[in-house]
Amino acid sequence: SGAAQGAAPNNPLSAWLHGNFQHGKNFIARAAEAMPEDLYGMRPGPQMEVRTFGQLLGHLAIFNYLYCSDAKGEKNPAQGKDFEKLATKAELVKALNDSFNYCDGVYAGVTDASLTQTISATTDSGDKVPALRGSRLIANISHNQEHYGNIVTYMRIKSMVPPSSMRP
């Protein structure tokens, strides 16, 4: 967003990334609040391999911590926690918002120069591989946006208007 770029004229790319992360975070957090708790167990179809709405939020929390801790260069503070197994809306919303707050600090702390530094990234199998710091933050934004698209589908199935379609 323009406001984010204006706030950091010496770091326009990192400011833009932070603004983009916050924009998507806002839609996801608002959707999580809007969805009634009795629909957190809903799947968009009968297939069991598709996550419930609540599991989808837990999945996002897991990966926010993974991508952002890699980018920050520290041990994942949520290592070993399976937020997809949380049972209540309150627990899931808290885990999601905590992960967003953690990432906010990471995005706020990067500069355009630090985005091109090589860091250690965690693969799906848990191995560590070299990657650019910025690639982890871009992957985080992309992952959140991908699953926000899923969230929109869950909401539309229940005739709910997703936050990105609400009029101001």
Side-chain angles (χ1 to χ4, degrees):
S1 80
Q5 288 177 350
N10 296 330
N11 291 289
L13 180 57
S14 55
W16 181 86
L17 285 173
H18 192 190
N20 194 286
F21 169 76
Q22 289 182 327
H23 183 75
K25 169 189 90 168
N26 183 14
F27 285 155
I28 295 167
R30 287 170 50 203
E33 287 291 347
M35 185 66 79
E37 182 159 15
D38 65 326
L39 296 179
Y40 264 59
M42 176 190 69
R43 296 177 197 277
Q47 56 276 45
M48 292 305 294
E49 69 275 6
V50 177
R51 289 182 179 98
T52 66
F53 182 84
Q55 288 170 333
L56 187 56
L57 300 181
H59 174 77
L60 287 172
I62 290 167
F63 277 85
N64 280 331
Y65 280 116
L66 175 72
Y67 290 132
C68 291
S69 64
D70 279 355
K72 191 172 181 181
E74 72 179 19
K75 184 180 184 295
N76 183 342
Q79 183 73 40
K81 293 182 182 170
D82 187 352
F83 297 119
E84 287 189 42
K85 290 189 162 111
L86 295 176
T88 68
K89 175 178 176 174
E91 291 172 314
L92 284 156
V93 168
K94 181 181 183 334
L96 182 67
N97 288 334
D98 287 350
S99 75
F100 283 147
N101 290 336
Y102 175 74
C103 284
D104 259 332
V106 176
Y107 281 91
V110 295
T111 63
D112 287 9
S114 73
L115 291 174
T116 61
Q117 293 171 340
T118 300
I119 52 99
S120 183
T122 310
T123 66
D124 288 344
S125 61
D127 296 329
K128 294 288 192 174
V129 296
L132 294 178
R133 183 183 318 279
S135 73
R136 297 311 275 171
L137 296 177
I138 292 167
N140 182 236
I141 291 167
S142 175
H143 184 254
N144 283 342
Q145 293 297 346
E146 171 189 349
H147 287 301
Y148 179 68
N150 299 135
I151 288 169
V152 167
T153 301
Y154 287 64
M155 294 183 84
R156 291 290 189 192
I157 286 170
K158 292 300 182 182
S159 300
M160 296 176 70
V161 177
S164 53
S165 296
M166 290 181 179
R167 299 293 173 247

